[in-house]
């Protein structure tokens, strides 16, 4: 049995003081309507700090600017 995109689970993980880590087959559409296809073998990091020059993707700006986010849901 092979893993088809429908069989591959999508995982979104928060990184303390950093981006959202996305693994799995998803289609991401930004506010301009640009679509990004992320296949099951891809891991992408999405900006959470708002300072990335490559939004919606992370470029490490959070580390250079002291972004802090470690809150947990209750």
């Amino acid at each position: 049995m092979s893993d088809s995109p429908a069989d591959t689970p999508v995982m979104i993980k928060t990184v303390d003081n950093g981006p959202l880590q996305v693994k799995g087959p998803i289609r991401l559409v930004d506010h301009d309507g640009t679509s990004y296809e992320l296949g099951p073998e891809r891991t992408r990091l999405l900006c959470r700090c708002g300072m990335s020059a490559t939004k919606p993707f992370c470029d490490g700006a959070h580390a250079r600017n002291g972004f802090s986010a470690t809150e947990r849901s209750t």
Side-chain angles (χ1 to χ4, degrees), residues 4-42:
S4 69
D7 296 334
T8 306
V10 174
M11 182 189 73
I12 301 173
K13 176 182 176 182
T14 57
V15 177
D16 281 353
N17 303 316
L20 295 173
Q21 180 185 58
V22 179
K23 290 184 180 184
I26 67 163
R27 180 174 159 226
L28 174 68
V29 180
D30 70 13
H31 66 278
D32 292 324
T34 304
S35 181
Y36 304 91
E37 296 291 335
L38 306 178
E41 70 287 343
R42 299 294 311 260

Side-chain angles (χ1 to χ4, degrees), residues 33-56:
T34 304
S35 181
Y36 304 91
E37 296 291 335
L38 306 178
E41 70 287 343
R42 299 294 311 260
T43 297
R44 296 301 294 256
L45 301 174
L46 301 180
C47 178
R48 210 166 43 126
C49 72
M51 295 177 266
S52 174
T54 59
K55 289 185 214 75

